[in-house]
Amino acid sequence: MSLAVKDLSTASSSSSAAIPVKIIPLQHPDSTSSDPHCHSIPFNDFFSRWTAKIKRMTFFDWIDTIFPCFLWIRTYRWHQYFKLDLMAGITVGIMLVPQAMSYARLAGLQPIYGLYSSFVPVFVYAVFGSSRQLAVGPVALVSLLVSNALGGIVDPSEELYTELAILLALLVGIFECIMGFLRLGWLIRFISHSVISGFTTASAVVIGLSQLKYFLGYSVSRSSKIMPVIESIIAGADQFKWPPFLLGSTILVILLVMKHVGKAKKELQFVRAAGPLTGLALGTMIAKVFHPPSITLVGDIPQGLPKFSFPKSFDHAKLLLPTSALITGVAILESVGIAKALAVKNRYELDSNSELFGLGVANIFGSLFSAYPTTGSFSRSAVNSESEAKTGLSGLVTGIIIGCSLLFLTPMFKFIPQCALAAIVISAVSGLVDYEGAIFLWRVDKRDFTLWTITSTTTLFFGIEIGVLIGVGFSLAFVIHESANPHIAVLGRLPGTTVYRNMKQYPEAYTYSGIVIVRIDAPIYFANISYIKDRLREYEVAIDKHTSKGPDMERIYFVILEMSPVTYIDSSAVEALKDLYEEYKTRGIQLAISNPNKEVLLTLARAGIVELIGKEWFFVRVHDAVQVCVHYVNTPTNVEESSKSSLWRRSGAKNSPSYAEVEPDIVFKEPLLSREK
């Protein structure tokens, strides 16, 4: 028989011995309200806010949005900033010249295309980019992705290979601009940091192994999988040559030492930036003086600035779309992440979607001047920030240095040993091996460590695309699992307070016999409602009676749902909640709802749940709900009709102690609270 629920005022007046129950009344919103916000779809809300923001924008706001450089141009302090920007730009430029040529070789291109990719995109980004410290240009990870994508289509020695690399830059730029304009950067948030860390770690290992051929003096298989590369290295061991190995190893040691010194002491950070140039100078000098025949050189490099040209053919564009999307993802996760961190450090605001748009424009213009895909570099951006760059002017200085190198220094680059460029790449990617991050994940979150391990292992043994897909797949699976199996806590009252907390977290908390209080820590929707119902059924029989106050009860008679963490409830969950109420009703259990937010309460009202359960069973606080439930049990009115009175008779005590006698409830006289959560 279901509980005979009566009006609280009637119940409280029926027994002079009962302690008055004073609660904060919950005001129910009008379910017939015509408020547009109550019926709006989040997608429409987004566009409504967007259009409203556009209407408020002035002419100068539009200029600042399209050309973020005007934000720092208008407030530029020449006496304070110019010297710092000049020195930072020169430092990054000196670092970029050798790195650009090295990364171009990693991408399977001639070194000159690394310099081209460091020229026009740098200038364009200084105008359209939002970050004032981000250093744009070729990076190791994107270069590996380019090599992996194009290597399966055409041989690197063919001219088509270079054309496709330039086309790829155009496609990446279009992707980035579209995502930035439509503000879709949030989509990449579903890829966890552990996936990115595992992917970059595995990629760094593959990059390092791929560069060993310049150290060993013989050809090694081009592959994004670790096993073919290792097998190729072992198979060609009889062709090993000492001169390139000794020269490359010496340069690598010098680079690592200079990097460590620059990181250890801020005043010596220029040593870190000068490392690649020092390695190139040493290698070039040795190659030019001793002419060792076993050391291969870069060879002739065209002199002059890149010429304007539009991609000749889009026949292979469809094959490049997956790689374009992947490079765009790397740009969002790495470059935009770096840019936001630098903006916080230097105390200015940065919009991630605007930043993504700026990177896209830089890639589009770069593709028109023979550049392959570029993005923000972590190492060069760190050097730029440590050199105290204040504005995008430092990027313009870097671009000028690259331009001067193209105009005047390319004849000197022909004597650069390939092993020196390989040493620069290995030194750069060594910082991508995130073993410290793996140790941290193992110590903090075993699930994230598992995700890191799965991503890095599959990337190493099955290739970049499969590794990323599997990593992202597992990441999304974990998100879906967490959403479909939300955290649900049984609450108990902390002694001497009216605070209710998780019983597992606070063992000293106690419950009331016959009453179970459950908090649902997630939105309720079709994917998790079955799990929630199953857990509620379990809690009916799994309550620890040793922590309960009051007389022993044979079963549960009240279930209180604490819904303050529930931000959303859908139609499937509403129907399931109706079924749950009817199920409880047949078993003599009363359902009570505590602290639903306005949107959830409005949904329940429109679905008829409020009318079905009764408005008197909706409460502002858990403590209010508990007091009412206790009051009903302690009020033996209409004994023949009230199932609660029969509970007391079955408890075996003629004068059973009331809950209030176990621990008096504290009566609060508080002002009416807002219905907003």
Side-chain angles (χ1 to χ4, degrees):
M1 181 178 179
S2 63
L3 295 178
V5 180
K6 296 186 176 183
D7 184 82
L8 296 183
S9 61
T10 304
S12 58
S13 64
S14 63
S15 177
S16 59
I19 296 177
V21 176
K22 294 187 178 181
I23 64 174
I24 303 171
L26 176 67
Q27 291 187 354
H28 293 261
D30 183 5
S31 61
T32 62
S33 171
S34 58
D35 183 2
H37 295 289
C38 296
H39 302 272
S40 62
I41 302 173
F43 194 68
N44 292 338
D45 286 345
F46 166 76
F47 278 104
S48 297
R49 292 194 302 268
W50 197 22
T51 53
K53 182 179 178 180
I54 290 176
K55 290 178 180 178
R56 292 195 304 267
M57 292 177 65
T58 65
F59 172 77
F60 290 104
D61 290 333
W62 279 106
I63 294 296
D64 292 341
T65 301
I66 299 173
F67 303 102
C69 61
F70 281 100
L71 288 170
W72 56 264
I73 289 176
R74 289 202 304 268
T75 59
Y76 196 81
R77 303 174 183 176
W78 287 94
H79 295 292
Q80 297 181 31
Y81 294 167
F82 180 72
K83 183 179 179 180
L84 295 173
D85 285 339
L86 179 64
M87 294 305 299
I90 293 173
T91 302
V92 174
I94 291 173
M95 188 178 183
L96 178 57
V97 170
Q99 279 192 350
M101 292 189 289
S102 303
Y103 293 152
R105 294 300 301 160
L106 175 61
L109 299 166
Q110 293 299 316
I112 188 63
Y113 290 100
L115 296 175
Y116 289 163
S117 302
S118 307
F119 183 58
V120 172
V122 170
F123 284 105
V124 175
Y125 180 81
V127 176
F128 291 95
S130 301
S131 176
R132 302 173 189 180
Q133 286 80 30
L134 189 70
V136 172
V139 297
L141 186 54
V142 172
S143 298
L144 176 64
L145 294 173
V146 171
S147 174
N148 184 67
L150 302 185
I153 300 175
V154 63
D155 188 87
S157 61
E158 298 183 23
E159 185 179 350
L160 179 60
Y161 187 96
T162 302
E163 294 177 4
L164 293 181
I166 297 171
L167 175 61
L168 188 59
L170 177 62
L171 296 177
V172 168
I174 293 173
F175 263 97
E176 291 174 338
C177 285
I178 291 175
M179 293 193 70
F181 182 75
L182 297 179
R183 309 186 71 82
L184 297 177
W186 60 270
L187 291 172
I188 309 298
R189 297 174 192 169
F190 288 98
I191 304 178
S192 70
H193 173 73
S194 52
V195 170
I196 299 302
S197 176
F199 168 66
T200 54
T201 297
S203 299
V205 173
V206 172
I207 291 171
L209 290 175
S210 70
Q211 296 300 297
L212 286 181
K213 61 183 179 181
Y214 300 114
F215 278 50
L216 302 176
Y218 58 87
S219 179
V220 173
S221 174
R222 289 176 59 89
S223 176
S224 62
K225 304 174 186 177
I226 190 172
M227 292 308 299
V229 177
I230 293 177
E231 291 173 358
S232 179
I233 291 173
I234 296 173
D238 56 334
Q239 305 174 42
F240 175 76
K241 298 180 180 64
W242 280 104
F245 179 79
L246 291 176
L247 179 59
S249 299
T250 301
I251 295 174
L252 179 59
V253 170
I254 292 173
L255 291 173
L256 293 175
V257 170
M258 296 180 72
K259 179 191 288 188
H260 176 74
V261 170
K263 284 184 176 181
K265 295 184 178 181
K266 184 178 179 180
E267 60 271 16
L268 297 178
Q269 57 87 22
F270 69 90
V271 175
R272 174 187 177 187
L277 188 62
T278 303
L280 278 194
L282 177 62
T284 302
M285 182 181 67
I286 292 176
K288 196 168 184 178
V289 172
F290 297 101
H291 301 287
S294 57
I295 295 180
T296 57
L297 305 179
V298 169
D300 292 330
I301 295 180
Q303 189 172 6
L305 301 178
K307 297 179 181 179
F308 176 85
S309 63
F310 198 77
K312 299 178 181 178
S313 174
F314 290 86
D315 294 340
H316 296 84
K318 187 180 294 186
L319 297 175
L320 300 178
L321 291 179
T323 302
S324 303
L326 183 56
I327 293 175
T328 302
V330 171
I332 297 174
L333 291 163
E334 295 295 329
S335 298
V336 177
I338 296 166
K340 292 181 74 172
L342 292 174
V344 171
K345 181 179 179 181
N346 291 275
R347 300 180 181 179
Y348 62 90
E349 294 183 2
L350 183 140
D351 180 69
S352 57
N353 291 289
S354 176
E355 176 67 13
L356 189 58
F357 182 80
L359 289 169
V361 174
N363 271 303
I364 290 175
F365 276 90
S367 68
L368 303 178
F369 291 90
S370 303
Y372 76 96
T374 58
T375 190
S377 165
F378 180 82
S379 59
R380 294 194 299 271
S381 298
V383 169
N384 201 31
S385 179
E386 291 166 4
S387 300
E388 300 185 11
K390 297 298 182 182
T391 67
L393 182 62
S394 62
L396 297 177
V397 174
T398 299
I400 292 172
I401 290 177
I402 298 298
C404 292
S405 300
L406 287 168
L407 290 172
F408 309 114
L409 301 180
T410 51
M412 300 172 57
F413 296 156
K414 65 184 298 184
F415 296 103
I416 296 175
Q418 297 274 22
C419 60
L421 296 179
I424 293 173
V425 172
I426 295 173
S427 172
V429 301
S430 63
L432 297 178
V433 180
D434 193 14
Y435 63 89
E436 292 181 351
I439 295 173
F440 173 80
L441 292 176
W442 170 260
R443 189 170 63 249
V444 174
D445 191 335
K446 298 296 190 296
R447 188 190 64 180
D448 278 347
F449 176 79
T450 301
L451 196 57
W452 185 93
T453 304
I454 291 172
T455 305
S456 58
T457 303
T458 51
T459 302
L460 282 174
F461 290 95
F462 298 101
I464 292 174
E465 290 87 354
I466 295 178
V468 170
L469 288 176
I470 291 178
V472 172
F474 272 92
S475 181
L476 292 176
F478 285 155
V479 171
I480 294 171
H481 180 269
E482 285 296 315
S483 178
N485 300 272
H487 180 264
I488 301 176
V490 175
L491 305 185
R493 181 175 175 179
L494 297 181
T497 73
T498 59
V499 176
Y500 293 78
R501 291 292 182 265
N502 188 344
M503 297 282 292
K504 292 183 178 180
Q505 186 176 359
Y506 296 91
E508 69 273 17
Y510 61 87
T511 60
Y512 290 102
S513 297
I515 302 173
V516 60
I517 310 164
V518 179
R519 187 185 68 214
I520 303 169
D521 294 329
I524 306 176
Y525 69 114
F526 66 91
N528 62 18
I529 186 60
S530 296
Y531 174 84
I532 292 172
K533 289 174 66 177
D534 292 341
R535 297 291 79 74
L536 290 175
R537 294 189 185 101
E538 290 178 7
Y539 294 146
E540 289 183 45
V541 297
I543 298 300
D544 186 359
K545 294 185 179 181
H546 295 290
T547 64
S548 299
K549 298 283 187 178
D552 291 338
M553 296 291 180
E554 297 175 1
R555 62 181 180 85
I556 296 298
Y557 291 90
F558 291 95
V559 174
I560 302 172
L561 296 184
E562 156 67 315
M563 298 185 69
S564 58
V566 179
T567 57
Y568 167 75
I569 183 169
D570 73 349
S571 58
S572 300
V574 167
E575 291 299 323
L577 202 57
K578 286 183 180 179
D579 296 339
L580 183 65
Y581 173 78
E582 296 296 339
E583 179 185 328
Y584 279 163
K585 185 177 179 181
T586 60
R587 301 208 307 272
I589 299 175
Q590 176 62 49
L591 182 65
I593 306 295
S594 168
N595 196 23
N597 69 30
K598 182 179 179 180
E599 288 72 22
V600 170
L601 189 57
L602 197 58
T603 301
L604 296 178
R606 289 195 183 121
I609 296 290
V610 174
E611 193 68 28
L612 180 66
I613 297 176
K615 290 185 178 181
E616 66 271 21
W617 291 104
F618 284 77
F619 303 92
V620 173
R621 302 181 303 169
V622 173
H623 185 61
D624 292 344
V626 171
Q627 286 190 97
V628 170
C629 294
V630 169
H631 184 75
Y632 269 97
V633 174
N634 286 338
T635 308
T637 306
N638 297 326
V639 176
E640 292 79 7
E641 299 178 2
S642 175
S643 61
K644 294 179 289 299
S645 297
S646 62
L647 290 180
W648 289 101
R649 292 198 305 274
R650 286 195 299 267
S651 68
K654 185 177 180 180
N655 296 312
S656 299
S658 69
Y659 290 150
E661 291 173 351
V662 176
E663 180 165 344
D665 288 325
I666 301 172
V667 179
F668 287 89
K669 296 182 179 179
E670 301 182 21
L672 181 65
L673 299 182
S674 170
R675 303 287 71 78
E676 296 286 353
K677 181 180 174 184

